[in-house]
Amino acid sequence: MRISVVGCGYLGAVHAASLVELGHEVVGVDVDARKIADLRAGRAPFYEPEFAELLTHSVASGRLTFTTDIAAARDCTVHFICVGTPQKHGEYAADLRFVQDAAESLLGVLEPGDVVVGKSTVPVGTAAGLAAMVSEKAPGVRLAWNPEFLREGFAVRDTLHPDRLVYGVPDADGGVVEETLDEVYAPIVARGIPKVVTDYATAEMVKTAANSFLATKISFINAMAELCEATGADVKQLADAIGYDDRIGRKFLNAGLGFGGGCLPKDIRAFMARAGELGADQALTFLREVDNINMRRRIRMVELAREVCDGSLLGKRVAVLGAAFKPDSDDIRDSPALNVAAQLQLQGAVVRVTDPAAIENSRRQWPQLDYADSAEEAAERADAVLVLTEWKQYRALDPVAFGQVVAQKRVLDGRNALSRKAWTEAGWTYRALGRRAS
Ligand code: UGA
């Protein structure tokens, strides 16, 4: 099939290259000329494991092209919308401008029989509105909503090996749309991956409900961490013990600094805003608390840093290991690590931040912070070391050797990712959220 992908960010670029892997010819379209130039040259504009190889390979095959000109999508029969839906400034709601622009730009190239497939995370009701616009302005063109569940850091794997496919299809001609999507995902469908074919509203809600559940699970364990701090209990053991119950499960029960990134925070807020518009805001008031618990963890981390620095951050040298919102990503959108680093600096600490992949992005957003190329450089003569993103490089640090670099052996494990035993045995004061001091 010839397929266009409009929007070439984390989602779109990975999706475009993965579609080539599934056997299609793909044109990626984006308004950002710099990004397109990079992609065209086979250069990944962001860090994502396995993506660089997939991109190089797909571009070299001649079956993946990139352009800023939507006209190149003219001979495609399926058109994916993969643009961002960021939070509106000063509001909880999602900004749908890019989705609207993408759909309108496609109107000039659509032919009867084409299918437009939305992948962006949108408030429920968006697809029905777009479907009405498309059927009025491009008769014979159908719309589907096909949410994406990829995680950054595993984007390629999640795209090529999803755990489910969700198709939101129109009431009329739903079968035709389903067949088209089955053709797009043929190798995945052939593996018998669970598939849910439903209406637009359910498909849209599957995505926001899934992200809300994940956020709730993280905030649940972080609320337990607050209680553990008050009682002297240990949140890590608590999570292990409740996680053995397979109705609960251990995944997404890692207590620590909480969730950030370009998805969970803005998605739960957009969901609350949409519920309000629909007159169902009470159903989601708990998400406000989920958000509050999450943000409190960042404040607590700063307090803990002050505590270990003998009650004052003024002039203290603090090393922050990790800037990305999670490991294996250079994404710093709403990064808890950078948020804490900035608060520490504002409160008078001398902060040096390091990250294996996100320094360039961080420097652009927080030029006032000081950056180092390695954990050792960041921690030179430090009064405290904060591990805020659990990159494997930091989990693997040797506390004995690392202890030679710092001024004071104090480590704050913001992700409960280090071995408390190994660090305390090497003479470090070890502190973590939701766990007793040792
Ligand atoms: C999330 C969802 O997991 C994906 O399924 C979804 O497709 C994606 O959003 C999206 O909407 O596009 P992602 O934002 O890449 O994926 O990252 P997650 O792995 O969900 O992690 C989110 C945040 O939660 C990170 O800051 C991570 O450090 C934190 N987290 C995760 C915890 O604090 N504790 C945990 O136990 C797990």
Side-chain angles (χ1 to χ4, degrees):
M1 296 170 105
R2 269 198 60 80
I3 298 176
S4 79
V5 174
V6 182
C8 293
Y10 286 95
L11 165 61
V14 173
H15 189 62
S18 300
L19 287 172
V20 171
E21 195 68 12
L22 295 180
H24 306 293
E25 264 184 46
V26 182
V27 56
V29 187
D30 200 292
V31 291
D32 183 339
R34 227 180 74 183
K35 196 184 288 172
I36 289 299
D38 277 346
L39 288 165
R40 210 182 253 165
R43 274 192 308 270
F46 48 81
Y47 177 83
E48 178 63 47
E50 298 177 33
F51 176 62
E53 301 77 39
L54 183 66
L55 178 71
T56 317
H57 178 244
S58 310
V59 169
S61 74
R63 289 193 289 121
L64 178 59
T65 53
F66 290 98
T67 177
T68 51
D69 184 4
I70 192 74
R74 200 175 291 281
D75 58 347
C76 297
T77 50
V78 177
H79 308 267
F80 281 95
I81 296 180
C82 293
V83 293
T85 51
Q87 188 176 339
K88 275 188 187 167
H89 289 298
E91 278 181 58
Y92 268 15
D95 187 345
L96 295 178
R97 209 172 356 156
F98 305 116
V99 173
Q100 199 63 36
D101 288 354
E104 278 167 19
S105 74
L106 278 170
L107 288 176
V109 301
L110 294 172
E111 301 281 346
D114 284 3
V115 179
V116 175
V117 189
K119 270 210 164 291
S120 308
T121 302
V122 291
V124 57
T126 306
L130 289 177
M133 179 186 89
V134 166
S135 71
E136 186 199 325
K137 302 202 169 145
V141 174
R142 300 180 183 93
L143 182 107
W145 215 262
N146 170 222
E148 175 60 52
F149 305 101
L150 68 82
R151 299 158 295 168
E152 287 179 26
F154 300 91
V156 172
R157 197 187 310 168
D158 285 350
T159 306
L160 291 172
H161 300 276
D163 44 19
R164 78 283 213 191
L165 292 168
V166 177
Y167 302 170
V169 300
D171 294 340
D173 299 327
V176 182
V177 172
E178 181 183 348
E179 270 170 35
T180 305
L181 287 172
D182 278 351
E183 203 181 328
V184 170
Y185 296 120
I188 296 171
V189 173
R191 288 201 300 269
I193 301 301
K195 183 175 91 179
V196 178
V197 182
T198 181
D199 51 75
Y200 292 145
T202 308
E204 291 165 317
M205 268 194 66
V206 169
K207 175 65 193 250
T208 36
N211 277 1
S212 298
F213 189 85
L214 295 171
T216 303
K217 206 169 172 192
I218 298 169
S219 277
F220 172 82
I221 200 64
N222 282 331
M224 294 305 111
E226 289 188 9
L227 276 170
C228 287
E229 282 157 25
T231 59
D234 186 294
V235 75
K236 206 169 174 184
Q237 288 186 310
L238 178 82
D240 288 343
I242 64 173
Y244 286 125
D245 181 336
D246 63 11
R247 293 170 303 173
I248 296 174
R250 182 62 176 83
K251 289 183 184 156
F252 270 67
L253 276 188
N254 294 320
L257 253 193
F259 58 83
C263 302
L264 300 193
K266 66 111 176 141
D267 286 353
I268 61 169
R269 293 174 194 151
F271 203 17
M272 284 186 266
R274 185 66 184 132
E277 288 165 7
L278 293 166
D281 45 336
Q282 274 191 335
L284 296 185
T285 45
F286 75 96
L287 285 180
R288 193 175 290 273
E289 208 42 54
V290 165
D291 205 355
N292 277 331
I293 294 165
N294 192 52
M295 299 314 267
R296 279 208 297 273
R297 293 287 76 191
R298 302 176 186 189
I299 297 166
R300 177 68 190 129
M301 195 69 211
V302 175
E303 277 171 11
L304 206 56
R306 193 196 328 280
E307 244 172 81
V308 302
C309 287
D310 306 319
S312 170
L313 287 165
L314 277 181
K316 297 286 164 57
R317 299 174 70 93
V318 176
V320 168
L321 310 192
F325 85 104
K326 66 187 275 191
D328 293 318
S329 172
D330 64 353
D331 194 345
I332 54 157
R333 286 175 293 173
D334 199 1
S335 164
L338 272 184
N339 185 305
V340 167
Q343 286 188 61
L344 290 168
Q345 165 130 329
L346 286 170
Q347 297 192 24
V350 181
V351 182
R352 292 200 95 183
V353 182
T354 187
D355 189 282
I359 292 184
E360 218 179 294
N361 285 345
S362 307
R363 196 175 267 133
R364 227 173 289 134
Q365 189 176 325
W366 295 95
Q368 65 276 42
L369 287 168
D370 194 14
Y371 295 95
D373 289 329
S374 69
E376 287 74 15
E377 198 187 316
E380 217 179 288
R381 290 183 295 121
D383 295 299
V385 176
L386 275 62
V387 179
L388 302 186
T389 312
E390 69 277 33
W391 284 91
K392 68 172 181 307
Q393 292 90 320
Y394 305 151
R395 283 191 270 126
L397 278 172
D398 171 6
V400 177
F402 203 56
Q404 308 296 313
V405 181
V406 295
Q408 302 279 350
K409 289 199 229 171
R410 299 161 173 156
V411 65
L412 272 68
D413 182 0
R415 294 289 180 183
N416 278 310
L418 306 176
S419 159
R420 171 156 67 179
K421 189 165 172 284
W423 285 75
T424 45
E425 278 175 8
W428 289 74
T429 300
Y430 173 94
R431 296 295 303 271
L433 296 168
R435 304 177 80 188
R436 221 182 295 165
S438 61

